[in-house]
Amino acid sequence: MPDRSTPDRSTPDRLPLPRAVLYDWDNTLVDNWGTVRSALNHALVSFDLAPWSEEEARIRIKQSLRDSFPRIFGERWTEARDLFYAYFAAHHLDHLRPLPGAESLLRSFAERGVYQAVVSNKNGKFLRAEAEALGWSGYFGRLVGAQDAAFDKPHGAPVLMALEPAGLPPGPDVWFLGDADIDMECAHGAGLVPVLIGLGEGSGFERFPPAHRHADCEALCGLVGGGGDTISVQSGV
């Protein structure tokens, strides 16, 4: 597969707007990283395991809890899950904040009739509570979190669930915006256009390269907000 991490200069520098955009949540649209890491470290320390540093956590926290906790905590992973969720439930709205340009991007796509949804590996209950707290629920046709579908991201099941209200099949007119290699893997697997926000978390970008990349939502918003039914692809970082 060719490296699509930067725009192909042989292609036109403008593309049609997508019919739908699916988003990752944490570190793509919102920052709630400190609470996630604190909740995980609470569980680790409770099991006499060493807490993870900021760098370790950013590398390791990508899979959903039901996929990652059995590997970390073994047969007692459900006890660790309960500790994590109890801590997170008590604190997850305390430090929640939108990332630069996120709300403007959501509004710009909504004004142009682009269907929007979320596919996250955050527990669906917390995901929807955070969207509601930010006043963003109305932007999304569906917010799909961990355990809402039969399988979690990068499996294609949550993608199908997210697109269902719009009656749209996965395809090249649907974008998946995310900050990590697992988001790009999900997009490739489902046949969506993978769009990377930021520098990218993870080591899987050679296997699952982004088609386009943007410094942040603010950079992409400036292009979408330009009007018309096309968008520039010259916003790489």
Side-chain angles (χ1 to χ4, degrees):
M1 180 179 295
D3 182 2
R4 300 166 64 198
S5 60
T6 57
D8 181 351
R9 302 305 181 190
S10 67
T11 62
D13 63 358
R14 299 192 71 83
L15 293 173
L17 280 173
R19 295 183 67 190
V21 179
L22 306 185
Y23 301 90
D24 175 47
W25 186 251
D26 288 301
N27 304 315
T28 297
L29 294 176
V30 305
D31 179 7
N32 205 2
W33 181 252
T35 309
V36 172
R37 187 165 73 93
S38 294
L40 177 59
N41 282 339
H42 173 69
L44 288 167
V45 170
S46 297
F47 275 70
D48 296 322
L49 298 172
W52 290 357
S53 69
E54 175 84 10
E55 181 179 1
E56 288 173 326
R58 287 196 177 275
I59 292 172
R60 297 173 180 174
I61 300 176
K62 291 183 292 185
Q63 292 182 313
S64 68
L65 184 148
R66 69 173 166 181
D67 289 336
S68 62
F69 267 41
R71 173 174 47 82
I72 298 169
F73 296 100
E75 293 182 357
R76 296 179 62 195
W77 75 270
T78 57
E79 298 175 47
R81 174 200 62 195
D82 293 343
L83 289 169
F84 175 93
Y85 280 147
Y87 185 99
F88 194 81
H91 299 284
H92 77 114
L93 298 180
D94 294 350
H95 306 290
L96 177 69
R97 64 181 181 87
L99 287 172
E103 185 165 10
S104 296
L105 181 62
L106 296 174
R107 186 184 308 114
S108 293
F109 275 130
E111 289 172 349
R112 286 157 181 78
V114 176
Y115 174 80
Q116 300 177 95
V118 172
V119 174
S120 171
N121 275 341
K122 171 171 280 179
N123 178 274
K125 177 179 69 175
F126 297 136
L127 170 65
R128 289 181 282 275
E130 291 179 11
E132 186 67 24
L134 292 170
W136 288 2
S137 298
Y139 288 120
F140 304 116
R142 183 162 284 174
L143 291 121
V144 181
Q147 303 181 49
D148 288 337
F151 300 95
D152 298 325
K153 187 174 64 178
H155 196 278
V159 168
L160 294 175
M161 180 177 284
L163 290 173
E164 185 180 21
L168 291 173
D173 53 357
V174 180
W175 292 2
F176 195 114
L177 268 66
D179 71 303
D181 54 358
I182 195 172
D183 302 314
M184 304 300 99
E185 179 180 355
C186 184
H188 277 275
L192 314 182
V193 176
V195 180
L196 181 65
I197 295 294
L199 297 176
E201 295 289 344
S203 58
F205 293 108
E206 287 190 5
R207 289 185 299 147
F208 307 107
H212 313 295
R213 59 191 307 167
H214 305 273
D216 50 30
C217 288
E218 197 164 34
L220 181 54
C221 181
L223 299 170
V224 175
D229 59 358
T230 61
I231 184 170
S232 170
V233 299
Q234 308 297 337
S235 170
V237 293

